[in-house]
């Protein structure tokens, strides 16, 4: 190669290098400097303490409790002795291996949580033999009342893969817990607070060199809900081990004072990450403890629906206070027989006595005179067939109210008179949730005002969403009869009669499948209902109780409602005396 050619090659090399230098320094310089700085400085998100949830009287329902966990520093992840660590922590090698493989860059790897003090002492004594292993203290939710109110308060969990894709949750620290159910989920963004941040300098291998800055966490806001935790406890105690639901409302505001769903679960199981064994136990429990029966289950309302039939019949003037009908234990329509629960019959009854004694024949007749479409009209006005709109969780069941048009569209068949009979006493196609029944009796108690049901403690006195187009005369007749159900001789709810407070209410016994009354048992046994309000003259609480397969409403559901009402009213009477 001649000297001239060599000079050309050298010049070309310098031109290429110079061009590349120009590109790196002047064109991409700022971007490359930014990337270099980001590689040297790493930001680690720190979960913030969650806000506290209080009941309506300022009693805390949860708190943040410190707990211990074992972490592995990221710089030791590639050199750690997995077998030795698994023996130290008492966890499988596969579990340790997976957590190391799933780690996020520069973030400590949590190898084990929920350490007991005995485990902390054991591991701390051996830390010098395990470089990269540390014990850290974090905050976990502690639910002060265990399974009491669990379906309202909810529980926490780590981000699931679907949530991790949500733009609103992209800044959540990897180890943070977020609300997954109930109030914890509904108000997670308020309770969660603002995560903190630790800025660390790392070397080329990603090992932490020093902490260069920290942004403190901002604790989540506290929240006050409408639940009265004392009433909630008393109601759940009265329920015992039976399955079912109870909803207690303030009839003049729509605030929920207690919402029980039994069986329940302990949200503390989720507070530090639920174990696979506990999750499988809850998931496979045939009594479905994770189901919120108060609003996610719908049942035939049985005789509590006679309140709806009564309103429609009185408003349509199909009957009046003096209308008398004779019950001889049943009636026939064509080839079909429709029995009264009292085989011997009630004799000749007025409306008042018919509701007090819950005579089926009287309400078969009242329903026939009114017609299914008119019953459906008033049922829907009273909220049957529509969700109550409780903000708690998705999946609230709407209940169901049939009519002639529905039957034609859904089944291609006409509506039969016999279907009006059974609908009039709350059987057949009609379905309601315990929450809807509580709102229904609340409307009766307050004289026709419908409120939004809510778990949030309002800052101002709520206003009704509507005034129902039902006369005060109808409500007066109905309330007087509901008082008689509990307090008059022959009333079906004598078991709810109280020496402390005057209670008005209605029993219901809903057949699960066709059978002779009272003959079915176990999973085919009748559902027991009772709905009530008190005090009679100045209602302060409206309540609905449903005991699954509990048998008769008077014996299974009414005593639960009575216990809860008496406890609530007694406390208010005492508070009044103390003022």
């Amino acid at each position: 190669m001649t000297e001239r050619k060599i000079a050309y090659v050298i010049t070309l090399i310098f031109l290429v290098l110079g061009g590349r230098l120009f590109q790196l320094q002047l064109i991409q310089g700022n971007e490359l400097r930014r990337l270099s700085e980001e590689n040297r400085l790493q930001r680690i998100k720190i979960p913030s303490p969650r806000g506290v949830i209080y009941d309506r009287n300022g009693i805390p329902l949860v708190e943040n409790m410190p707990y211990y966990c074992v972490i592995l520093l990221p710089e030791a992840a590639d050199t750690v002795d997995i077998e030795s660590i698994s023996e130290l922590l008492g966890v499988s090698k596969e579990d340790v291996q997976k957590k190391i493989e799933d780690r996020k860059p520069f973030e400590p790897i949590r190898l084990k949580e929920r350490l007991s003090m005995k485990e902390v002492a054991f591991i701390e004594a051996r830390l010098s033999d395990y470089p990269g292993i540390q014990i850290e203290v974090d905050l976990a939710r502690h639910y002060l009342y265990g399974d009491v109110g669990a379906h309202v308060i909810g529980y926490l969990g780590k981000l699931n893969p679907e949530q991790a894709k949500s733009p609103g949750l992209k800044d959540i620290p990897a180890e943070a817990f977020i609300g997954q159910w109930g109030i914890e989920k509904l108000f997670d963004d308020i309770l969660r607070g603002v995560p903190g941040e630790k800025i660390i300098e790392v070397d080329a291998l990603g090992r932490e060199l020093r902490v260069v800055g920290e942004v403190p966490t901002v604790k989540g806001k506290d929240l006050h809900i409408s639940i009265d935790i004392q009433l909630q406890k008393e109601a759940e105690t009265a329920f015992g081990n039976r399955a079912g639901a109870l909803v207690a409302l303030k009839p003049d505001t729509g605030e929920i004072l207690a919402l029980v769903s039994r069986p329940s679960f302990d949200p503390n199981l989720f507070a530090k990450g639920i174990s696979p064994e506990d999750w499988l136990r809850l998931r496979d429990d045939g009594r479905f403890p994770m189901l919120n029966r108060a609003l996610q289950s719908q049942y035939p309302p049985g005789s509590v629906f006679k309140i709806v039939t009564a309103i429609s019949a009185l408003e349509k003037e199909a009957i009046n206070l003096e209308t008398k009908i004779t019950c001889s234990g049943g009636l026939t329509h064509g080839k079909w027989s429709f029995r009264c629960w009292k085989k011997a019959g009630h004799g000749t009854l007025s409306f008042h006595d018919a509701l007090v004694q819950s005579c089926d024949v009287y309400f078969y007749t009242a329903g026939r005179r009114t017609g299914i479409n008119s019953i459906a009209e008033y049922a829907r006005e009273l909220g049957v067939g529509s969700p109550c709109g409780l903000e708690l969780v998705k999946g609230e069941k709407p209940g169901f109210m049939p009519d002639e048009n529905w039957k034609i569209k859904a089944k291609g068949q006409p509506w039969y008179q016999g279907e009006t009979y059974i609908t009039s006493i709350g059987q057949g196609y009609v379905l309601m949730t315990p929450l809807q029944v509580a709102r229904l009796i609340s409307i009766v108690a307050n004289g026709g005002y419908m409120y939004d049901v809510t778990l949030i403690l309002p800052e101002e006195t709520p206003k009704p969403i509507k005034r129902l187009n039902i006369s005060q005369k109808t409500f007066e007749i109905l309330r007087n009869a509901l008082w008689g159900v509990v307090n008059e001789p022959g009333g079906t709810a004598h078991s709810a009669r109280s020496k402390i407070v005057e209670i008005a209410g209605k029993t219901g016994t809903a057949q699960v499948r066709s059978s002779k009354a009272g003959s079915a048992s176990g999973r085919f046994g009748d559902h027991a209902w009772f709905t009530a309000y008190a005090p009679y003259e100045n209602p302060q609480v409206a309540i609905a109780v449903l005991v699954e397969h509990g048998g008769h409403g008077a014996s299974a559901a009414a005593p639960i409602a009575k216990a809860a009402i008496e406890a609530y009213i007694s406390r208010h009477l005492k508070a009044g005396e103390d003022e």
Side-chain angles (χ1 to χ4, degrees), residues 215-535:
V215 178
T217 60
V218 178
K219 178 178 172 291
K221 291 182 179 178
D222 297 338
L223 190 66
H224 293 256
I225 63 175
S226 65
I227 292 294
D228 180 322
I229 190 60
Q230 294 301 324
L231 175 60
Q232 182 81 29
K233 281 173 55 182
E234 290 148 358
E236 301 218 21
T237 298
F239 233 99
N241 292 324
R242 287 167 287 198
L246 175 152
V247 179
L249 299 173
K250 272 180 69 66
D252 58 345
T253 66
E255 295 163 71
I256 293 181
L257 298 168
L259 190 150
V260 175
S261 180
R262 303 294 294 182
S264 188
F265 61 92
D266 187 351
N268 288 306
L269 292 173
F270 296 84
K272 303 165 192 170
I274 190 168
S275 68
E277 296 78 16
D278 285 333
W279 173 246
L280 289 175
R281 180 176 55 78
L282 284 174
R283 189 196 67 179
D284 298 337
D285 189 333
R287 285 164 52 90
F288 307 109
M290 302 294 288
L291 176 67
N292 189 336
R293 287 168 163 79
L295 53 126
Q296 292 181 311
S297 294
Q298 47 194 13
Y299 309 84
S303 289
V304 298
F305 191 78
K306 289 172 181 170
I307 294 171
V308 176
T309 305
I311 289 174
S312 59
L314 291 166
E315 285 293 295
K316 292 294 183 182
E317 298 181 347
I319 60 170
N320 57 45
L321 193 55
E322 285 74 37
T323 301
K324 293 188 176 180
I325 294 170
T326 299
C327 168
S328 56
L331 57 77
T332 57
H333 177 76
K335 64 179 181 179
W336 303 101
S337 297
F338 298 89
R339 293 178 292 103
C340 183
W341 67 267
K342 189 174 182 179
K343 294 180 180 178
H346 288 92
T348 300
L349 297 164
S350 65
F351 167 79
H352 181 91
D353 290 337
L355 191 68
V356 168
Q357 300 177 39
S358 198
C359 174
D360 291 335
V361 169
Y362 192 99
F363 282 90
Y364 291 149
T365 307
R368 176 177 56 78
R369 293 182 182 179
T370 311
I372 185 59
N373 290 338
S374 290
I375 296 173
E377 173 191 343
Y378 281 93
R380 292 179 183 128
E381 179 74 0
L382 290 157
V384 184
S386 302
C388 295
L390 185 63
E391 59 277 82
L392 188 58
V393 292
K394 292 181 180 178
E396 180 190 351
K397 296 291 186 183
F400 183 72
M401 185 62 223
D403 62 14
E404 290 181 356
N405 287 335
W406 166 80
K407 182 81 181 293
I408 287 288
K409 290 180 181 177
K411 297 183 177 294
Q413 297 175 355
W415 183 266
Y416 299 116
Q417 188 68 49
E419 292 171 322
T420 301
Y421 286 151
I422 60 175
T423 303
S424 299
I425 63 165
Q427 295 287 166
Y429 300 112
V430 61
L431 296 171
M432 294 181 73
T433 66
L435 183 62
Q436 286 176 327
V437 174
R439 186 169 66 171
L440 168 65
I441 196 67
S442 182
I443 291 170
V444 174
N446 69 32
Y449 294 94
M450 180 179 283
Y451 290 86
D452 280 329
V453 293
T454 182
L455 278 163
I456 309 306
L457 197 60
E459 295 180 357
E460 298 179 356
T461 303
K463 295 181 179 178
I465 54 176
K466 68 176 179 179
R467 167 77 168 88
L468 275 61
N469 186 25
I470 296 171
S471 69
Q472 287 305 307
K473 181 181 179 183
T474 291
F475 282 122
E476 288 172 13
I477 293 171
L478 185 58
R479 285 195 295 261
N480 188 33
L482 294 174
W483 181 89
V485 170
V486 177
N487 299 286
E488 291 181 2
T492 57
H494 55 82
S495 56
R497 197 172 305 163
S498 172
K499 296 179 180 178
I500 297 173
V501 59
E502 280 191 304
I503 299 172
K506 182 72 192 78
T507 54
T509 302
Q511 285 186 304
V512 175
R513 68 173 188 178
S514 180
S515 63
K516 292 183 179 179
S519 65
S521 60
R523 65 191 178 94
F524 296 119
D526 297 338
H527 294 320
W529 282 97
F530 185 61
T531 187
Y533 64 88

